[in-house]
């Protein structure tokens, strides 16, 4: 039996994993600090083209309905989106990201699927299907899109209808003639409930009563929301969903949904049956589709060998904007916790680039 040859790992100071908003921001700031792409740092992205998770969004999500897309540092989004708000977000944002990568010559390597990151003493070994890399530090920006969350409920395997997640959604017309049970109290759940309830019968269930925000979500409210999420991750607790902090804004669409009865919410069921769901009081409901709008979890499985998590399931974060992992300062997580929003991702990319290069002695 022959021993397989060991593959040499390409040495790099920093590897950025992910080229969504947070990853591109980090790459921009690394370059602004004097580091060179492909020489001092490398950006790996699993997607075949630029655009991060935006390229997978459903067609009806246009620039008029999406939450604000914040500018990446140095280049305004409006230059590429123009004034047509009917353009799909899945088209406009990837176009913007691609132009950004080209303008700043970030040389993103794609598609590159990172399978695992291991500790190798004074370096980190990054294994991917595009090669092996040996880095002094990493900035992880893998987001959440690749890890949809569906809670485990008794009887789920018995259901004879279709079970889908937000990321599987395409168009409301696909559900015509079917009774759709929409599960979740976040913004995506409301958006899909709005669309689907216009073409077919729907029932809406949430674990807790929705918190409606009648007042505008201004900068002060935004800072308060970020501070609450940051407090959790600094304590090593899993970050909460943003809507649990901010509440759901009462928009004209919400008002319209109320008027036509689409927002008649029911409490969460206790189990799933072969034909629908059952509540604790014995009440049942037959449905054709269960659409889980229950969010996502941070896609961090490739970092498991580094043992970054606490017993709580969270990761203790430190640093100016809570991007640095306390257990291993060579690792920064951007787009995690308080930097999960697009504006937070920009600031996190800047902080992570500065703090990691300082920690590694590359800049002063």
């Amino acid at each position: 039996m022959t021993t397989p040859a060991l593959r040499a790992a390409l040495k790099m100071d920093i590897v950025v994993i992910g080229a969504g908003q947070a990853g591109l921001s980090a790459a921009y700031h690394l370059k602004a600090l004097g580091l060179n792409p492909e020489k001092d740092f490398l950006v790996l992205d699993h997607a075949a083209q630029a655009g991060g998770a935006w390229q997978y969004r459903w067609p009806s999500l246009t620039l008029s309905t999406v939450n604000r897309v914040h500018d990446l540092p140095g280049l305004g989004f409006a230059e590429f989106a123009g004034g047509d708000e009917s353009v799909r977000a899945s088209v406009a944002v990837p176009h913007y990201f691609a132009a950004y990568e080209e303008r700043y010559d970030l040389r993103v390597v794609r598609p590159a699927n990172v399978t695992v990151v291991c500790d190798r003493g004074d370096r980190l070994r990054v294994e991917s299907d595009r090669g092996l890399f040996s880095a002094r530090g990493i900035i992880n920006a893998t987001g959440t899109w690749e890890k949809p969350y569906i809670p485990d409920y008794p009887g789920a395997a018995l259901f004879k209808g279709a079970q889908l997640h937000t990321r599987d959604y395409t168009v409301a017309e696909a559900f015509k003639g079917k009774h759709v049970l929409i599960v979740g109290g976040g913004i995506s759940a409301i958006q899909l409930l709005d669309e689907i309830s216009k073409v077919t019968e729907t029932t809406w269930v949430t674990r807790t009563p929705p918190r409606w925000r009648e007042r505008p979500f201004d900068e002060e409210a935004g800072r308060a929301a970020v501070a609450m999420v940051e407090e959790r991750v600094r304590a090593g607790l899993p970050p909460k969903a943003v809507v649990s902090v901010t509440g759901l804004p009462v928009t004209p669409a919400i008002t319209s949904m109320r008027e036509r009865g689409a927002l008649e919410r029911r409490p969460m069921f206790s189990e799933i049956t072969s034909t629908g769901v059952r509540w604790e009081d014995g009440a049942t409901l037959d449905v054709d589709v269960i659409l889980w709008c229950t969010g996502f979890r941070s896609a961090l499985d490739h970092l498991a060998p580094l043992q970054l998590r606490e017993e709580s399931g969270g990761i203790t974060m430190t640093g100016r904007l809570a991007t640095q992992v306390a257990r291993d300062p060579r690792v920064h997580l951007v787009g995690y916790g308080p930097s999960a929003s697009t504006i937070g991702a920009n600031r996190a990319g800047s902080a992570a680039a500065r703090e990691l290069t300082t920690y590694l002695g590359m800049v002063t």
Side-chain angles (χ1 to χ4, degrees), residues 236-239 297-298 300 308-316 336:
L237 299 172
R297 296 293 183 264
S298 297
L300 302 176
L308 305 178
R309 293 192 182 276
E310 309 291 345
E311 290 185 6
S312 66
I315 299 173
T316 302
Y336 175 84

Side-chain angles (χ1 to χ4, degrees), residues 18 38 68-69 85 91 96 116 138 144 190 259-260 263-264 294 311 344 346:
E38 296 183 340
R68 180 184 171 189
V69 179
E85 293 196 341
V91 173
Y96 172 50
V116 69
I138 66 170
T144 62
I190 296 297
E259 292 174 350
R260 56 188 174 85
L263 284 180
E264 295 178 1
T294 42
E311 290 185 6
N346 282 352

